[in-house]
Amino acid sequence: MHRRSTGSDISVSESEQILNLHNVARQQVQPPASNMANMHWDNELAAKAQAYAKKCIWGHNSARSNSPTTFSYVGENIYVQTNTMNTDVIESGFTMWDDEKNGFHYDTNSCSDTPCGHYTQVSASNTSCEHYSQTSLANTLCGHSTHIIWAESTALGCGVSHCPSMTNLPDYNFVDYWEYLVCNYGPGGNINGKLPYVEDTSGSSAGAGGETATSNGCRK
């Protein structure tokens, strides 16, 4: 395993993959941000995420902000899929979280429309669900995507576990194992009543790190 390099069972290349996915999304926010910084990988958060992922419990880690931690509050996004999905769990999980931006309205700090949802359950057929996603904030419907673009959250650490079964999820006879992705954010965001970032009203189109923001991340 790669614990010495990344703090979790995620490889160095996988940590770079998920970090890049987050930073590209942060660079491309609309309206543009004036205070958006790139995230960096944090081994402490990754170790905490990995330890929880190995417990194979569907639901948030209520102890994620407990010591030892550098941060007074740790945010969390979680995602799980069955082995029958045949997709990369990092890519699938991030995409599911990030897709909620399509329902986020910056001007009113509110969310509407599918697939925006605090708890998202996608049916693969009429009788089974193959992937689930959940964020650590109860009072917003865009919690996954706003965690990704929360400007003050600059540290990221994730873990992945293969689980023979998941506590709090059904046992499906077609499932050999579940792939469980947990990402922790420091300091945690999604503070009620606060926007995820400050809008850049200067007319500049630069996103995080001075790169140009090119995609429309919000539907008005």
Side-chain angles (χ1 to χ4, degrees), residues 119-135:
Y119 179 83
T120 306
Q121 178 174 304
V122 179
S123 295
S125 69
N126 291 332
T127 59
S128 64
C129 296
E130 286 194 300
H131 55 180
Y132 299 79
S133 178
Q134 195 171 26
T135 185

Side-chain angles (χ1 to χ4, degrees), residues 10 48-50 52-53 76-79 97 157-160 180-184:
I10 283 179
K48 190 180 290 284
Q50 185 63 52
Y52 187 69
E76 182 178 73
N77 278 349
I78 60 177
Y79 170 85
W97 298 336
C158 305
V160 171
Y180 193 17
L181 171 65
V182 178
C183 282
N184 285 341

Side-chain angles (χ1 to χ4, degrees), residues 1 44 48 55 61 68 83 91 94 128-129 133 151 155-156 202:
M1 294 300 178
E44 177 189 283
K48 190 180 290 284
K55 293 182 178 180
N61 178 11
N83 65 293
E91 187 78 32
F94 180 85
S128 64
C129 296
S133 178
L156 172 69
S202 68

Side-chain angles (χ1 to χ4, degrees), residues 147-211:
H147 240 147
I148 292 168
I149 62 170
W150 199 267
E152 295 174 1
S153 296
T154 56
L156 172 69
C158 305
V160 171
S161 183
H162 286 188
C163 300
S165 62
M166 288 291 296
T167 301
N168 300 327
L169 288 183
D171 288 326
Y172 296 125
N173 56 15
F174 64 86
V175 175
D176 293 326
Y177 60 88
W178 298 83
E179 295 179 297
Y180 193 17
L181 171 65
V182 178
C183 282
N184 285 341
Y185 301 84
N190 281 348
I191 299 170
N192 289 335
K194 185 174 180 178
L195 285 162
Y197 60 87
V198 177
E199 181 180 359
D200 181 2
T201 58
S202 68
S204 170
S205 61
E211 298 187 31

Side-chain angles (χ1 to χ4, degrees), residues 104-111 195 220:
F104 178 61
H105 306 274
Y106 182 92
D107 53 349
T108 58
N109 197 22
S110 63
C111 182
L195 285 162
K220 297 294 185 184

